[in-house]
Amino acid sequence: RAVRVWRALALPVVVAVALVSVPTGSVLHDLAGRPCGAACAELDEATAMIPDGSWVGADVYLTNHLSRRFEVSQWRPADGYLDDLGEPVDAAWLVLNRETTSYENESTGWVQAFLDDPVVRGAHYRVRWSGEAIVVLEREG
């Protein structure tokens, strides 16, 4: 009887562990209704110049797509570009999506405002790649 119970429980447990082990970040992100859309199609080309392991600041909806190659921090205009601990995000690279809905970009235009004056805490960022949706900037100096 114990063997039957074990067999009945083993398969669901194995399936559950297997499903949890699959990288689901981008799938869950897209299912949540906030896919990165056209920006995702540009990411590989846009980020090809960025060395693996670099510190990248990115739009919240791009972070999970970039985290396999880079150390990623959210680039959040609402709090002066600070991380979750209140520390400055002074990433070497920025990957921004002109079409993002994060931080009310549709109404505030924060992405374009930053691109018009790409300076934070005295650090100047220079555009290194620009597509329809994605813009890649590198910190100078």
Side-chain angles (χ1 to χ4, degrees):
R1 178 181 159 132
V3 172
R4 275 188 284 169
V5 171
W6 171 249
R7 285 184 184 161
L9 293 176
L11 182 59
V13 168
V14 168
V15 170
V17 169
L19 289 175
V20 170
S21 300
V22 173
T24 57
S26 60
V27 173
L28 293 175
H29 184 267
D30 291 347
L31 290 175
R34 300 246 186 211
C36 64
C40 284
E42 295 180 349
L43 278 179
D44 286 341
E45 182 181 352
T47 60
M49 74 184 75
I50 304 174
D52 287 353
S54 294
W55 186 14
V56 173
D59 174 81
V60 63
Y61 299 123
L62 298 178
T63 57
N64 62 330
H65 300 284
L66 299 171
S67 63
R68 288 186 182 102
R69 281 191 55 210
F70 310 112
E71 178 184 339
V72 182
S73 294
Q74 288 183 25
W75 190 247
R76 302 185 309 200
D79 59 10
Y81 308 107
L82 303 177
D83 66 14
D84 294 336
L85 301 175
E87 295 296 320
V89 175
D90 295 318
W93 297 86
L94 301 177
V95 179
L96 303 179
N97 178 0
R98 288 186 183 95
E99 300 171 353
T100 187
T101 58
S102 70
Y103 302 100
E104 301 175 357
N105 184 56
E106 308 98 316
S107 60
T108 64
W110 72 264
V111 172
Q112 189 58 52
F114 179 77
L115 293 174
D116 291 343
D117 185 23
V119 179
V120 175
R121 288 182 289 281
H124 188 276
Y125 287 86
R126 179 173 50 104
V127 173
R128 294 289 307 274
W129 192 94
S130 183
E132 287 186 40
I134 296 293
V135 181
V136 175
L137 301 96
E138 182 180 18
R139 188 179 66 224
E140 294 183 333

